[in-house]
C-alpha cells in the first residue's frame, strides 16, 4: 500500500486570516501566524509534516490562496 | 526508505489543486471568510471544466458582489438593482448560443428584484440564477433582509425579527420551484469541503440543463455573512448550520424528469 504525502503553499499576501482552513484540516496542519502580512491580517501557516494533500483547505478557502501538491510514497512490503 | 522533503513534493507534476486562472489574479473585495469568494471560485471552475469561457455571459447584481465583473474573467454585464433576470432574459434571447447566468444576493433577488425573478422563472427563460442567501443586507451595514430568520438580529431589527410586525422570511427558492418554467431548483452551501463540491456539481448541472433549453435553473447558495452577523467566520459557519439549515434545508427541490 502506498502512503500519500502532501504539501500546501499559502499565498501569504492574499490570506485574510479567516481561519476557515484551520477548522477543516483533518490533520491539524494549519495554524495562524503571530505575524501579519502587509494588509495586517494574521496569515495561515504550515505547522507540521502530516499533510496528506486532501485539498480540504484549498477548497474552502474563500480567497483561493492555497495551492496543494501530493505524491504517493511507496512503502516497503514486509 | 528515502525521506521525502517538502521541496520534493512541491513540483508542478504533483499539483492537485490551485486557484483557477479564470478568477482574475487580484484580491477579492469580500470580508475575510465570506462565502462569496468560494462561490465565485466554484462558478469559474465549472466554466473552466466545461470549456465555455468565451461562450459565457454573466450578469452582476447590486450588493456585495457588485464588483463580480472585476473578478470573473468572462463577459459580465452590470444590471440595475434587482433587474439582473430581465437583463439576462434579453441577453439569452438575443444570443441563444451563449451560456447566461445571473449572480444575485438576497436583497437584490428576493427584495427589490422579486418581480423580475418570479416572472423570469415563470417564463422559463433558459439561463441560470445563482442566488447567494445570507439572510442580511451585507454591503449596506447588516439591515434586515426578506430572508432574515425570525428572531435574528440585524441593525434595523436590533431585538430580533418580530414576525408580528416585520412579516415572515421569504423562501423564494421553494416559491420558484412551484412555477412551471423552472427545470432545476436546488439549495446548497459553501461552508465545508463536502458542501463546496456538491455546490460545484449543482452549478454544472444547472448550466447543462438550461443550455439544453429545459428551462430556468435556480441555484441557491446559503452563505455566511460574518460581518453582518457580528461573528468570526468559523462561528458564523456553525451558527449557519444550527439556525439557517433548519429553516432553509439543503438539497434538490426540483429536478428535471428523466428522459
Amino acid at each position: 500500500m502506498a502512503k500519500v504525502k502532501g504539501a500546501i503553499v499559502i499565498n501569504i499576501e492574499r490570506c485574510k486570516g479567516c481561519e476557515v482552513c484551520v477548522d477543516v484540516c483533518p490533520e491539524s496542519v494549519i495554524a495562524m501566524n503571530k505575524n501579519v502580512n502587509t494588509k495586517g491580517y494574521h496569515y495561515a501557516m504550515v505547522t507540521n509534516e502530516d499533510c496528506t494533500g486532501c485539498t480540504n483547505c484549498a477548497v474552502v478557502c474563500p480567497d483561493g490562496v492555497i495551492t496543494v501538491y501530493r505524491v504517493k510514497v511507496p512503502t516497503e512490503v514486509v | 526508505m528515502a525521506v521525502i522533503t517538502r521541496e520534493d513534493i512541491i513540483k508542478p507534476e504533483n499539483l492537485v489543486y490551485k486557484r483557477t486562472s479564470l478568477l482574475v489574479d487580484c484580491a477579492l473585495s469580500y470580508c475575510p471568510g465570506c462565502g462569496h469568494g468560494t462561490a465565485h471560485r466554484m462558478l469559474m471552475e465549472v466554466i473552466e471544466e466545461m470549456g465555455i469561457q468565451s461562450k459565457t455571459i454573466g450578469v452582476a447584481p447590486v450588493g456585495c458582489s457588485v464588483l463580480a465583473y472585476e473578478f470573473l474573467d468572462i463577459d459580465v454585464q452590470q444590471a440595475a438593482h434587482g433587474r439582473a433576470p430581465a437583463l439576462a432574459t434579453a441577453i439569452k434571447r438575443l444570443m441563444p448560443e451563449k451560456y447566461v447566468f445571473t449572480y444575485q444576493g438576497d436583497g437584490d433577488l428576493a427584495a427589490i428584484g422579486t418581480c423580475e425573478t418570479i416572472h423570469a422563472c415563470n417564463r422559463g427563460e433558459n439561463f441560470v440564477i445563482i442566488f447567494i442567501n445570507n439572510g442580511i443586507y451585507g454591503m449596506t451595514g447588516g439591515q434586515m433582509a426578506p430572508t432574515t430568520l425570525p428572531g435574528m438580529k440585524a441593525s434595523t431589527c436590533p431585538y430580533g425579527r418580530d414576525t408580528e410586525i416585520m412579516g415572515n422570511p421569504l423562501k423564494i427558492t421553494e416559491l420558484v420551484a412551484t412555477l412551471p418554467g423552472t427545470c432545476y431548483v436546488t439549495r446548497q452551501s459553501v461552508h465545508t469541503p463536502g458542501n463546496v463540491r456538491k455546490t460545484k456539481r449543482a452549478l454544472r448541472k444547472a448550466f447543462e440543463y438550461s443550455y439544453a433549453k429545459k428551462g430556468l435553473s435556480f441555484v441557491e447558495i446559503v452563505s455566511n455573512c460574518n460581518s453582518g452577523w457580528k461573528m468570526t467566520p468559523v462561528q458564523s459557519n456553525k451558527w449557519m448550520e444550527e439556525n439557517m439549515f433548519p429553516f432553509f434545508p439543503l438539497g434538490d427541490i426540483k429536478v428535471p424528469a428523466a428522459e
Side-chain angles (χ1 to χ4, degrees):
Chain A
M1 206 190 114
K3 208 176 135 198
V4 181
K5 226 171 150 26
I8 58 169
V9 178
I10 298 163
N11 184 345
I12 291 168
E13 284 306 314
R14 288 281 166 79
C15 181
K16 290 179 184 164
C18 68
E19 303 185 20
V20 175
C21 54
V22 178
D23 200 48
V24 298
C25 180
E27 305 288 336
S28 306
V29 172
I30 310 171
M32 302 314 287
N33 204 311
K34 276 184 193 162
N35 301 323
V36 294
N37 59 19
T38 48
K39 293 268 187 188
Y41 294 120
H42 293 283
Y43 50 87
M45 64 172 182
V46 179
T47 56
N48 59 42
E49 302 271 304
D50 296 342
C51 180
T52 59
C54 70
T55 71
N56 273 8
C57 54
V59 166
V60 294
C61 177
D63 294 276
V65 303
I66 303 175
T67 309
V68 186
Y69 298 86
R70 182 166 59 206
V71 286
K72 272 187 183 162
V73 187
T75 46
E76 285 145 58
V77 183
V78 184
Chain B
M1 199 178 78
V3 179
I4 293 186
T5 61
R6 208 174 130 78
E7 284 68 37
D8 295 330
I9 303 172
I10 301 173
K11 284 178 182 163
E13 64 267 28
N14 299 330
L15 181 75
V16 284
Y17 192 92
K18 77 188 265 282
R19 179 182 150 124
T20 169
S21 57
L22 265 62
L23 267 181
V24 176
D25 190 21
C26 65
L28 302 178
S29 61
Y30 306 115
C31 305
C34 177
H36 269 303
T38 320
H40 275 17
R41 204 175 69 249
M42 286 307 119
L43 173 64
M44 296 323 279
E45 281 182 13
V46 167
I47 290 171
E48 187 177 33
E49 279 174 18
M50 293 174 76
I52 53 170
Q53 184 184 12
S54 57
K55 289 173 74 184
T56 308
I57 301 174
V59 182
V62 171
C64 289
S65 47
V66 66
L67 292 172
Y69 54 80
E70 295 269 324
F71 312 133
L72 311 180
D73 197 4
I74 51 170
D75 291 334
V76 182
Q77 171 67 48
Q78 168 68 48
H81 203 351
R83 267 80 241 194
L87 188 54
T89 300
I91 294 171
K92 183 67 185 179
R93 286 189 177 194
L94 288 167
M95 289 177 273
E97 75 286 1
K98 300 281 187 192
Y99 290 83
V100 180
F101 72 89
T102 73
Y103 185 100
Q104 300 174 268
D106 47 358
D108 192 75
L109 183 140
I112 192 167
T114 321
C115 164
E116 279 76 5
T117 305
I118 287 177
H119 284 291
C121 291
N122 199 33
R123 290 193 306 266
E125 303 292 342
N126 294 306
F127 62 84
V128 181
I129 292 182
I130 299 162
F131 166 40
I132 309 291
N133 176 8
N134 54 17
I136 209 157
Y137 288 159
M139 185 182 75
T140 48
Q143 289 85 357
M144 189 184 76
T147 47
T148 300
L149 300 175
M152 181 175 166
K153 286 178 184 167
S155 63
T156 46
C157 51
Y159 304 107
R161 180 174 186 157
D162 181 356
T163 51
E164 292 280 308
I165 305 165
M166 298 152 188
N168 288 292
L170 181 60
K171 287 189 177 182
I172 190 126
T173 308
E174 273 85 350
L175 189 70
V176 300
T178 61
L179 301 173
T182 52
C183 67
Y184 179 57
V185 180
T186 184
R187 184 184 282 123
Q188 304 292 338
S189 86
V190 287
H191 70 300
T192 64
N195 282 307
V196 173
R197 292 184 177 111
K198 276 189 203 166
T199 304
K200 189 173 162 183
R201 284 199 290 274
L203 286 171
R204 179 159 188 150
K205 276 193 238 170
F207 274 106
E208 284 168 355
Y209 290 147
S210 285
Y211 194 69
K213 295 194 167 52
K214 291 189 178 195
L216 190 139
S217 298
F218 193 98
V219 182
E220 171 177 349
I221 300 173
V222 183
S223 174
N224 61 341
C225 177
N226 48 72
S227 305
W229 299 352
K230 318 283 183 236
M231 293 176 198
T232 68
V234 175
Q235 272 174 351
S236 70
N237 283 338
K238 291 213 166 64
W239 191 90
M240 182 169 74
E241 273 181 14
E242 288 162 10
N243 299 280
M244 295 279 278
F245 292 170
F247 194 84
F248 297 111
L250 303 186
D252 290 347
I253 296 161
K254 186 177 183 181
V255 287
E259 273 143 48

